[in-house]
Amino acid sequence: QLQASGGGLVQAGGSLRLSCAASGFSLDLYAIGWVRQAPGKVREWVSCISARDGTTYYGDSVKGRFAISRDKVKNMVYLQIDNLKPEDTGVYYCAARQRVCNSDWLQYSDWGQGTLVTVSS
């Protein structure tokens, strides 16, 4: 079970840290990604951390502002978001797929409930 949390209302320029509790998913075996969906738009893959060596990947729109990390002891994955922009508003989901990351959100097999991020201008 994947459970995202940490969303909220924040002013532009602020920061948030999203958390994903990955119960039942070994972070040594599953890559965990973050996917967001803005109101009225399709889902967008934003970041992923791979299983074996923890390599991180980012979408072009978030590079330099988002940082994904994991704690294998706690079985948690985090997404630090800095310098938030209104266009970052949306529901953020964490999702899992076996071993390697993929920038196509359709390739993730397991999804948690999302957490809403709202950025005011």
Side-chain angles (χ1 to χ4, degrees):
Q1 180 180 0
L2 299 167
Q3 181 64 53
S5 62
L9 174 63
V10 64
Q11 288 188 329
S15 297
L16 279 175
R17 188 177 82 153
L18 307 184
S19 299
C20 176
S23 301
F25 292 88
S26 169
L27 299 184
D28 287 321
L29 299 177
Y30 285 87
I32 304 296
W34 287 94
V35 176
R36 67 184 180 186
Q37 187 166 21
K41 295 190 176 181
V42 298
R43 294 186 179 185
E44 176 192 13
W45 173 87
V46 295
S47 184
C48 180
I49 186 164
S50 68
R52 188 180 66 176
D53 58 6
T55 302
T56 58
Y57 302 89
Y58 300 95
D60 289 340
S61 63
V62 306
K63 280 180 182 176
R65 298 189 299 118
F66 286 29
I68 190 170
S69 62
R70 67 183 180 181
D71 183 330
K72 291 201 287 184
V73 173
K74 295 181 179 179
N75 222 44
M76 297 286 293
V77 175
Y78 305 99
L79 187 69
Q80 176 69 36
I81 309 175
D82 296 322
N83 190 22
L84 277 155
K85 303 178 180 181
E87 52 263 41
D88 294 321
T89 293
V91 178
Y92 284 70
Y93 301 90
C94 55
R97 69 184 309 272
Q98 290 188 2
R99 302 197 181 279
V100 299
C101 290
N102 195 299
S103 60
D104 181 355
W105 63 267
L106 289 168
Q107 300 302 315
Y108 290 78
S109 55
D110 296 274
W111 293 76
Q113 292 184 326
T115 186
L116 177 63
V117 172
T118 304
V119 184
S120 63
S121 57

